[in-house]
Amino acid sequence: MSVMVCLASAFLLGLCLVCINVLAEMRATARDKALNVANRLVAAIDNDIQRNIESIDLSLQAVVDGLKRPDISGVSAELRQVILFDRSTAARHLGVVLVTDADGIVRLDSRTTTPEPISAADRDYFLVHQHNDYAGLYIGRPVAGRLTGAGAIGISRRVNNPDGTFAGVAVASLRLDYFKTLFKDISLNAGSSIALTTADGVVLMRWPYDPKYIGLSLRSSKVFDNLARAPAGHFESKASTDGVWRLLVYSQIGQLPLVISVGQSLETIYAQWWHYVLILATLGAIFTAVVAFLLLYIGRQFKLRTRSELNLSTALTNMTQGLSMFDRDARLVLYNEQYLRMYGCSAETVKIGTTFHEILKLRKAFGSFDGDPEKYASELVTALKRDGTVAIRAACPDGRMISVVNRAMPNGGWVATHEDVSERSRYEKQIAHLAHHDALTGLANRMLLRERMERALSNLRRNNGSFAVFLIDLDRFKAVNDTLGHPIGDALLKEVAARLQACTREVDTVARLGGDEFAVLQIVQDDVADGAIILAMRLLESICLPYEIDGDRITIGASIGIALAPADGLDVDLLMQYADLALYKVKSDGRNNFRFFSGELAEDAMDRRAFEAELQDALAQRQFELLYQPEVELSSGRVTGAEALPRWRHPQRGLVLPEAFVPLMDESGLIAELGEWVLREACAAAVAWPTDVKVSVNVSPVQFGRGNLVDAVILALSESGLAPQRLRLEITETIALDENSENRSILNQLRNVGVGIVLDDFGTGFSSLRTVQMFPFDKIKIDKSFTADLATNPNSAAIVCAMNGLARGLKIGSLAEGIETTDQCELARFAGCEEGQGLLFGPPVPAGELTFQCPVATVRAA
């Protein structure tokens, strides 16, 4: 077999060498033929151009010599012009012959006896002769004629005075059309080119003709690198002009400063050669394939066994899994080292022919099997005969988890793969746990809660049991997050989770649904309502106990909504919805309590949905209107501004106050649309007010959350023409303290626009002091709950004084809300309030009824 392969290889190698030699000779022949053609073209072009330029040079020399003759120097300019014209017409393809003086002014012109005073001082031929003593022939760059505009090159000689000093230039212009006609008449192959350049690389003409190449410098091309070594030659190169690879033949034209080059495309030169290459390559490939097929066919049976044995040995050695194979008598016929190492065995103890039962006994002795060898072996053989494949994941006594896949073979035996999946098993358990548990608290998540609720419903249908679902929302948790930071908030959530688990049993499920929302599934066998009440009271009591976290003492509350099964329903989503309705009712009633779902809550929810639909219609039908309540300077009684207050003109209910519709609009997000309308209407109304009166507009957190508040403010100001300084936006502490949003950035942008920022309901929030420290507000509005007790409660007066002292220290204005009596007004002014607002100064009225004279005579100057 080896001899046949060697002979075949030698034959193929010899055949390849012969083909390569033939192809090389064909390629050389094609190249030589192309060189001969190019050399002939170069010679023909060289001869024609040299003959014509020499003819032109003779005319120039005659002109120069004629100007030196004594019989010419004394004649008139007209006679000199005639002589010059007669001599210059001797050269074919000549355009015009000129003679300039030493300043470059044309003195003689072959076209007229009275030449125009044209200057050639900027032409390259004039500059070369002016600054050099060179008296030989100079061929210039291509230029457009000043009078005709036609392209030409200047062929010039220097004219000297009798003393040898520079007197001017005699120049003949040779039209570029001459070269274009000459090159055009030459038959070229596809991709070929002809180029005529000056000795310094400037293109005078190129064919195929393209005006963008005329005057282009090719000084850096390979032609001029070779020209420096020899006046004529050839080489292969990629053209810088069009990127085509060519065989280029070049030559300097006689003694002239001109270079002619003829390039032929290599693709065209070797086109026929490539055709033969393709034919020979195809025939060679076919022949080689036939020989290879015959060799493979002859040697297939010879190599099959050796290759199979080698592959099997390699595979067994490099497998990451253990492998074992048993015959129909359950005797070992094949194994790898991984199999032995996995179970603590060795080649001395486990040999080919050992029965499966004996191997199990050895493994038990080595501590890698703890079952009954005889029973295990019998059950496995039976299962393989029945199912064909048996997959087992078995735990070893040492804690490892081994995955074994047994597959029956046609001969009655079986093959098994063994893989240590201990890490994978642990990872799968971890993933499964994370998929069903909250990462922060370790409690069940929403998915696991749902699964257990569905399981409880299934048991309930079979066994007539019952259960309760608790939805728990922590009260004042957001304030903890805002004031103490998220790490403290997370620690608090863990503590709450631990207390919830301590209040429940193992059969119950405690879950975290997200944020500060928790849920409890309580399985009850007896009276579900009584059990739920006991657990709810226990949960409230536990959650409300103070927490000590990192030195901070924290107190929170909880609102709990409860739904019962089967009393309230037998559907998971419905029970969760009912518990949520009960939770909503607890929060709306003041929080820190629990409530069961009832039919009334469902009716309330339906009413809210209907009310929300009415609100959407009200926005679409423009049923809202604005009233304005004045804000008064307490020291002077001057009206300084007015707050825009929306009202809903309901078709049936009449005028609806904000307290009835703003909370629902906040929940549904409709408040953003209403807020933008209020902003536009208020700005438009305030334009008609005195220029020192400002308008205040309340802004909701929902408007901040949308992210377009700055644009809405700018648009309202632009449309109305209201000065930004006359608009004040009133915000709540919720907006200022929200560190998870871009609220701070939005407030700074609004401040940059020039709008005033007012902190509303100051003193009622959880962290008012921290709020005024976080952002430089223009004003704080002291909540009316403090103003109402000014005349009767010394504590309220002290608090209001402290608030105003804080405002003065921070250079912030202050306004007292809810002033209804003159005593409250005087006390507020005495406490340091700069402005006041309330029924004493007037109720909210339409813009047309708003007056800017304070109606209260009791407001006195300080």
Side-chain angles (χ1 to χ4, degrees):
M1 181 61 191
S2 300
V3 175
M4 293 179 63
V5 173
C6 291
L7 290 175
S9 300
F11 175 75
L12 290 175
L13 180 61
L15 184 62
C16 289
L17 291 175
V18 170
C19 291
I20 290 172
N21 186 54
V22 171
L23 290 173
E25 290 182 359
M26 292 175 65
R27 190 177 191 280
T29 300
R31 190 174 190 276
D32 291 342
K33 183 178 178 181
L35 279 175
N36 290 335
V37 171
N39 281 321
R40 289 198 299 272
L41 286 176
V42 166
I45 295 169
D46 181 301
N47 181 64
D48 192 283
I49 293 176
Q50 186 172 350
R51 177 164 43 82
N52 280 285
I53 291 182
E54 286 178 351
S55 174
I56 293 172
D57 189 34
L58 288 175
S59 297
L60 286 177
Q61 291 182 23
V63 171
V64 172
D65 292 343
L67 292 173
K68 294 178 181 179
R69 288 174 48 189
D71 59 329
I72 296 299
S73 59
V75 300
S76 66
E78 291 80 4
L79 180 59
R80 278 193 235 130
Q81 182 67 25
V82 171
I83 295 171
L84 180 60
F85 177 79
D86 290 342
R87 293 187 176 182
S88 66
T89 56
R92 291 186 303 123
H93 310 292
L94 198 60
V96 61
V97 180
L98 305 172
V99 177
T100 73
D101 60 17
D103 296 324
I105 304 302
V106 175
R107 298 303 182 186
L108 297 177
D109 188 333
S110 63
R111 295 169 298 188
T112 176
T113 57
T114 307
E116 301 249 349
I118 299 173
S119 174
D122 59 338
R123 297 298 197 190
D124 61 333
Y125 55 78
F126 179 82
L127 297 173
V128 167
H129 290 303
Q130 181 186 33
H131 297 293
N132 296 279
D133 293 336
Y134 176 67
L137 185 69
Y138 175 75
I139 299 176
R141 297 173 179 268
V143 294
R146 297 192 191 278
L147 296 178
T148 66
I153 60 172
I155 302 174
S156 59
R157 281 187 174 272
R158 176 181 170 120
V159 178
N160 290 333
N161 291 314
D163 60 356
T165 58
F166 177 65
V169 175
V171 57
S173 65
L174 180 60
R175 292 187 295 270
L176 293 180
D177 287 346
Y178 157 62
F179 300 111
K180 187 188 296 185
T181 303
L182 174 64
F183 292 170
K184 183 178 180 181
D185 293 339
I186 296 173
S187 178
L188 295 174
N189 293 327
S192 300
S193 66
I194 305 174
L196 177 68
T197 64
T198 63
D200 58 354
V202 177
V203 177
L204 303 178
M205 180 55 62
R206 183 185 184 277
W207 195 264
Y209 177 73
D210 190 335
K212 70 181 180 182
Y213 293 127
I214 307 303
L216 183 69
S217 176
L218 300 180
R219 189 67 187 86
S220 60
S221 69
K222 199 172 179 180
V223 170
F224 294 93
D225 291 341
N226 286 271
L227 191 66
R229 295 189 290 270
H234 63 271
F235 58 88
E236 293 180 4
S237 177
K238 182 179 181 181
S240 61
T241 54
D242 55 15
V244 177
W245 278 92
R246 292 186 176 90
L247 174 63
L248 204 69
V249 175
Y250 70 92
S251 176
Q252 183 174 342
I253 299 179
Q255 299 301 316
L256 298 175
L258 298 174
V259 178
I260 184 72
S261 61
V262 175
Q264 298 181 79
S265 167
L266 295 182
E267 182 179 355
T268 303
I269 294 172
Y270 298 126
Q272 188 175 13
W273 177 78
W274 277 113
H275 178 70
Y276 290 127
V277 169
L278 181 61
I279 293 174
L280 289 176
T282 303
L283 292 175
I286 294 173
F287 184 77
T288 302
V290 171
V291 173
F293 175 76
L294 291 175
L295 289 174
L296 289 173
Y297 179 77
I298 294 170
R300 182 179 180 80
Q301 297 300 322
F302 178 78
K303 293 183 176 180
L304 186 58
R305 178 172 298 178
T306 303
R307 184 177 301 166
S308 298
E309 293 176 354
L310 178 61
N311 290 343
L312 179 59
S313 176
T314 302
L316 291 175
T317 302
N318 291 281
M319 281 180 64
T320 59
Q321 299 172 317
L323 184 136
S324 60
M325 184 184 295
F326 297 87
D327 61 16
R328 61 186 304 170
D329 298 322
R331 293 186 177 275
L332 186 65
V333 296
L334 183 69
Y335 66 90
N336 63 1
E337 291 295 324
Q338 286 85 339
Y339 171 69
L340 297 180
R341 288 197 299 268
M342 190 173 293
Y343 297 115
C345 302
S346 65
E348 289 75 22
T349 56
V350 177
K351 300 181 182 298
I352 299 298
T354 306
T355 65
F356 182 56
H357 176 263
E358 291 172 343
I359 292 175
L360 291 177
K361 290 174 65 177
L362 287 171
R363 285 179 52 192
K364 188 165 187 176
F366 295 147
S368 59
F369 180 75
D370 58 359
D372 184 341
E374 186 173 350
K375 181 182 178 182
Y376 183 87
S378 175
E379 290 177 349
L380 176 61
V381 171
T382 302
L384 284 170
K385 290 179 180 179
R386 182 182 67 248
D387 302 325
T389 300
V390 178
I392 303 168
R393 181 170 286 194
C396 292
D398 59 5
R400 290 179 300 140
M401 186 66 69
I402 307 297
S403 174
V404 184
V405 180
N406 302 275
R407 292 182 176 85
M409 296 188 298
N411 62 1
W414 76 91
V415 62
T417 56
H418 308 256
E419 183 179 4
D420 187 338
V421 293
S422 303
E423 286 298 323
R424 185 195 306 171
S425 180
R426 284 192 289 270
Y427 181 71
E428 288 172 352
K429 289 180 180 178
Q430 183 181 3
I431 293 298
H433 183 273
L434 290 175
H436 292 83
H437 292 80
D438 176 54
L440 176 65
T441 63
L443 297 178
N445 61 11
R446 190 182 296 272
M447 181 185 298
L448 182 56
L449 175 68
R450 185 182 186 85
E451 291 178 3
R452 293 187 177 175
M453 287 181 66
E454 290 174 345
R455 189 187 310 161
L457 284 170
S458 178
N459 292 335
L460 183 150
R461 294 185 186 99
R462 291 195 304 268
N463 304 322
N464 296 323
S466 58
F467 64 84
V469 180
F470 297 70
L471 288 186
I472 305 168
D473 194 41
L474 301 183
D475 300 333
R476 301 187 300 278
F477 174 76
K478 188 176 186 306
V480 174
N481 248 357
D482 292 338
T483 56
L484 301 179
H486 290 285
I488 298 297
D490 289 345
L492 177 59
L493 291 174
K494 292 180 183 179
E495 289 284 346
V496 171
R499 294 187 183 187
L500 293 176
Q501 286 181 306
C503 293
T504 56
R505 304 161 299 165
E506 289 187 6
V507 294
D508 301 329
T509 299
V510 180
R512 181 182 177 222
L513 305 183
D516 61 343
E517 296 179 76
F518 293 85
V520 174
L521 173 62
Q522 181 192 28
I523 307 298
V524 182
Q525 298 297 332
D526 301 322
D527 190 331
V528 65
D530 289 344
I533 291 173
I534 294 172
L535 179 57
M537 295 177 65
R538 188 187 308 138
L539 291 174
L540 283 175
E541 181 182 2
S542 178
I543 293 173
C544 293
L545 291 174
Y547 300 81
E548 292 287 343
I549 300 177
D550 287 350
D552 291 308
R553 185 178 178 85
I554 301 171
T555 303
I556 59 173
S559 300
I560 303 176
I562 308 170
L564 306 177
D568 295 330
L570 294 174
D571 180 79
V572 172
D573 293 328
L574 192 62
L575 289 169
M576 293 293 287
Q577 178 185 347
Y578 286 168
D580 191 51
L581 288 176
L583 174 62
Y584 178 85
K585 182 60 176 174
V586 173
K587 291 196 290 186
S588 63
D589 287 346
R591 302 177 179 269
N592 202 33
N593 205 341
F594 70 90
R595 185 182 180 99
F596 287 94
F597 169 76
S598 65
E600 295 177 359
L601 296 181
E603 293 176 3
D604 290 344
M606 293 179 63
D607 290 341
R608 280 201 307 275
R609 285 194 291 270
F611 196 44
E612 183 178 338
E614 285 189 81
L615 285 171
Q616 290 177 332
D617 293 340
L619 283 170
Q621 297 169 13
R622 300 182 180 274
Q623 295 177 1
F624 290 95
E625 58 187 53
L626 280 185
L627 301 182
Y628 299 89
Q629 187 170 32
E631 298 171 341
V632 176
E633 186 177 61
L634 298 181
S635 62
S636 64
R638 182 176 60 89
V639 175
T640 59
E643 181 180 1
L645 301 170
R647 297 290 187 267
W648 180 11
R649 184 67 66 179
H650 193 280
Q652 288 80 36
R653 302 176 190 175
L655 197 64
V656 182
L657 296 178
E659 292 79 3
F661 61 83
V662 166
L664 184 57
M665 296 189 85
D666 265 327
E667 291 179 16
S668 62
L670 296 175
I671 194 68
E673 186 176 348
L674 177 64
E676 291 183 8
W677 175 82
V678 170
L679 190 60
R680 293 193 302 271
E681 289 292 313
C683 289
V687 170
W689 301 350
T691 57
D692 61 341
V693 177
K694 301 181 180 181
V695 63
S696 298
V697 176
N698 289 279
V699 181
S700 74
V702 177
Q703 290 175 269
F704 274 80
R706 279 197 170 186
N708 65 340
L709 178 60
V710 177
D711 294 336
V713 169
I714 293 174
L715 180 62
L717 292 172
S718 176
E719 288 179 345
S720 64
L722 184 70
Q725 294 75 17
R726 295 184 61 198
L727 174 63
R728 295 191 288 210
L729 300 181
E730 298 188 6
I731 68 169
T732 62
E733 285 191 73
T734 305
I735 296 172
L737 287 172
D738 190 352
E739 299 177 358
N740 296 324
S741 67
E742 298 180 355
N743 290 358
R744 193 73 53 75
S745 173
I746 294 174
L747 287 172
N748 285 323
Q749 292 179 58
L750 292 170
R751 170 62 60 79
N752 293 335
V753 171
V755 174
I757 308 297
V758 179
L759 181 59
D760 198 10
D761 299 331
F762 183 72
T764 61
F766 187 79
S767 305
S768 295
L769 296 180
R770 182 167 181 262
T771 307
V772 295
Q773 183 185 27
M774 292 172 63
F775 184 81
F777 292 96
D778 295 279
K779 182 188 296 186
I780 59 173
K781 297 187 77 171
I782 299 172
D783 190 69
K784 59 185 178 181
S785 61
F786 298 103
T787 308
D789 296 336
L790 273 177
T792 59
N793 190 342
N795 292 334
S796 295
I799 292 173
V800 173
C801 287
M803 290 179 180
N804 283 287
L806 175 66
R808 285 194 300 273
L810 295 174
K811 295 182 172 58
I812 298 175
S814 62
L815 181 148
E817 296 181 298
I819 296 179
E820 298 180 357
T821 67
T822 55
D823 288 343
Q824 290 174 344
C825 176
E826 284 300 303
L827 288 171
R829 183 175 62 82
F830 182 76
C833 294
E834 297 176 354
E835 295 177 274
Q837 182 182 11
L839 294 178
L840 178 66
F841 309 115
V845 295
E849 300 177 17
L850 185 66
T851 61
F852 302 99
Q853 297 292 329
C854 181
V856 183
T858 55
V859 176
R860 299 185 298 273

